[in-house]
Amino acid sequence: MRDITVQINSWNIDSIKPEVLEKTREDQHFLRGWLGALGGQQMPDIIVVGLQEVVDLESKKMTAKSLWKNTTSKSKPKGKAGSKPAADISKRYGLWRSALEKALSRGMTFSTAYRAVECQNMVGLFICVFARDDIYRSVREVDMSHVKTGMGGLHGNKGGIGIRFVFEDTSFCFVNAHLAAGESVRNNMARIEHCAAIVKSLSFKRPMPEYQSLAANELVGQHLPGQNNSRQTVSPTADLANLTLDAYVDGGDGQRFLDHA
């Protein structure tokens, strides 16, 4: 067992584009300074970047377009090719991903490079997880989930995106959320309800058990990573379908948010 460093950066960007950070010398250094907040000598193992309001949520044209479309980045916009609002939304996320990848390339913010593990978006939310180049291949079981809480769960202008993965023998889950605004008691209750909905509803694919693809006789004498760095021997009669990593909390299987707490 060893300690690792995780850096989490969160920023409500109020729908600005990365090109805004190219206007002055101070602006050009801002993004690298923000990502290198721990100092250039301390290189985090994992960097998580969460952006809110990547698109203008006050724009009726933009939000109406995104209301009924599938809002994850893996889906293609429906409708006619060349639909400008949808294309603008997709392009905005691409610009920010490129800006982050450039800032985290070798020699820009840190002496080493970082590689994107996963990037996902939902209306105005955008989350990217980066792993340092030398540990990138140790990250596995990557999956994402999103929960809409705007307009009673119909609209993704409010809600959260989660990215789940396992690094070595420990699971992680990071959530970027945009909650109800305002400071009244009613607004506070709405935020609490939104948080509860996100925690309850985030659902990930069941991870494939490690070594499941191996034949049972190949598992004799082999060991699976166990909780608190303990280890368990697998017998030839082990039910491979039920083998799971002990990387998760309280016997969880990695499908729910609290399996990673």
Side-chain angles (χ1 to χ4, degrees):
M1 181 176 291
R2 66 183 182 88
D3 292 335
I4 70 167
T5 302
V6 177
Q7 177 179 299
I8 301 174
N9 297 65
S10 179
W11 183 15
N12 186 319
I13 62 175
D14 195 21
S15 72
I16 66 169
K17 297 180 181 180
E19 63 194 45
V20 173
L21 301 179
E22 297 293 329
K23 291 184 176 180
T24 68
R25 185 180 298 273
E26 183 179 359
D27 289 337
Q28 292 170 6
H29 290 289
F30 173 80
L31 190 59
R32 282 177 284 169
W34 182 59
L35 292 170
L38 292 180
Q41 299 302 315
Q42 185 173 358
M43 295 181 291
D45 297 89
I46 303 291
I47 297 177
V48 183
V49 179
L51 304 179
Q52 303 87 42
E53 297 194 29
V54 177
V55 297
D56 184 3
L57 298 180
E58 298 300 320
S59 168
K60 293 181 180 179
K61 186 176 183 180
M62 294 289 273
T63 53
K65 185 69 182 180
S66 62
L67 178 56
W68 300 112
K69 72 185 286 290
N70 189 335
T71 54
T72 64
S73 62
K74 293 182 180 179
S75 301
K76 296 181 180 179
K78 296 181 180 180
K80 297 180 180 179
S83 175
K84 192 173 187 303
D88 287 345
I89 292 173
S90 298
K91 181 180 180 181
R92 188 73 60 90
Y93 296 123
L95 290 173
W96 273 107
R97 174 169 180 163
S98 295
L100 293 170
E101 289 179 331
K102 179 180 178 182
L104 290 173
S105 60
R106 187 181 305 276
M108 294 297 288
T109 304
F110 301 98
S111 59
T112 189
Y114 286 79
R115 297 172 64 181
V117 172
E118 184 65 275
C119 293
Q120 292 291 340
N121 65 76
M122 181 180 75
V123 188
L125 284 174
F126 185 54
I127 183 172
C128 272
V129 174
F130 295 89
R132 205 174 58 234
D133 191 56
D134 61 308
I135 66 167
Y136 177 81
R137 295 187 182 278
S138 297
V139 179
R140 62 190 187 280
E141 301 294 356
V142 180
D143 195 23
M144 65 79 60
S145 178
H146 69 275
V147 178
K148 301 175 184 179
T149 60
M151 293 179 63
L154 293 175
H155 197 0
N157 65 319
K158 305 294 182 185
I161 314 176
I163 293 179
R164 183 279 318 273
F165 61 89
V166 174
F167 171 59
E168 294 184 352
D169 63 352
T170 302
S171 68
F172 294 86
C173 182
F174 297 98
V175 179
N176 183 20
H178 194 205
L179 307 176
E183 299 183 8
S184 68
V185 173
R186 182 177 179 180
N187 295 141
N188 286 334
M189 290 304 299
R191 281 191 287 273
I192 293 171
E193 291 172 0
H194 287 183
C195 282
I198 292 168
V199 169
K200 180 180 179 181
S201 302
L202 279 176
S203 179
F204 303 95
K205 295 176 184 177
R206 188 175 189 271
M208 290 294 292
E210 193 170 49
Y211 303 117
Q212 184 171 330
S213 62
L214 299 178
N217 59 358
E218 292 178 310
L219 291 173
V220 177
Q222 298 294 322
H223 300 280
L224 296 181
Q227 191 172 14
N228 297 325
N229 228 25
S230 62
R231 309 182 81 81
Q232 55 181 334
T233 302
V234 181
S235 70
T237 59
D239 181 0
L240 297 183
N242 292 326
L243 288 177
T244 57
L245 285 169
D246 287 340
Y248 307 107
V249 174
D250 295 330
D253 59 8
Q255 294 186 85
R256 297 294 177 182
F257 174 73
L258 293 180
D259 291 347
H260 313 273

